[in-house]
Amino acid sequence: MAKKKWLHKILAILPSISLIVILLISSFEIGAYGDWNFYEKEYEKYKVADELYMEMPDIMKVTKFMMSYLRGNEKKLSIETEVEGNIQDFFNEKDRLHMADVQGLFLGGLAIRRGAIIVLLFFNGGTCAYESRLEETDPADVSAGAGGISGTYRGGRISVLKRL
């Protein structure tokens, strides 16, 4: 019986944890992909074009390609651009190995977010199924809510209260 209570408590907080994970990973993605002007301003601020002997449009092209690679949209991290007047691949083998690791982390984060979305949708579907079983709650109940769902642990079972 005690195992069942712990399971119910865990199930009551899963939607909240899922929502936190979704928001955290989404905010990181928005920060990284939301404003290309940020990269350009930072490149200008730190005089990256002078250090790389490249023009800003070429730097931005490489940046956008690299960010596309991180999302898994490019198979190989290889882009030719003009550096010091010569057309060459911007990334060397050391860069590719490092960015392959970064891509793995980034894609792993996106997969975790997809899983959290599935968990949240599962609980959202449960809300519809149990909406007819609305109950009054006691302040002593353990409650958790996320994504328009409020679940309450009470007396050895979870009750989904209603959409918020």
Side-chain angles (χ1 to χ4, degrees), residues 13-82:
I13 63 170
L14 270 177
S16 297
I17 293 171
S18 295
L19 183 61
I20 290 168
V21 167
I22 292 165
L23 292 174
L24 178 68
I25 294 172
S26 295
S27 65
F28 176 77
E29 186 179 24
I30 290 167
Y33 289 92
D35 184 12
W36 296 110
N37 291 326
F38 170 78
Y39 290 102
E40 191 168 345
K41 289 175 190 172
E42 291 298 304
Y43 292 154
E44 288 171 0
K45 178 178 170 182
Y46 293 106
K47 301 181 187 327
V48 172
D50 296 339
E51 291 290 322
L52 295 175
Y53 303 102
M54 292 174 65
E55 299 295 321
M56 189 58 69
D58 292 330
I59 294 171
M60 292 307 297
K61 179 181 170 186
V62 169
T63 299
K64 289 178 182 179
F65 180 85
M66 180 186 66
M67 298 303 272
S68 180
Y69 169 81
L70 290 177
R71 279 188 165 165
N73 298 332
E74 305 295 337
K75 292 182 182 187
K76 184 177 179 186
L77 186 62
S78 179
I79 183 170
E80 289 191 350
T81 189
E82 187 175 328

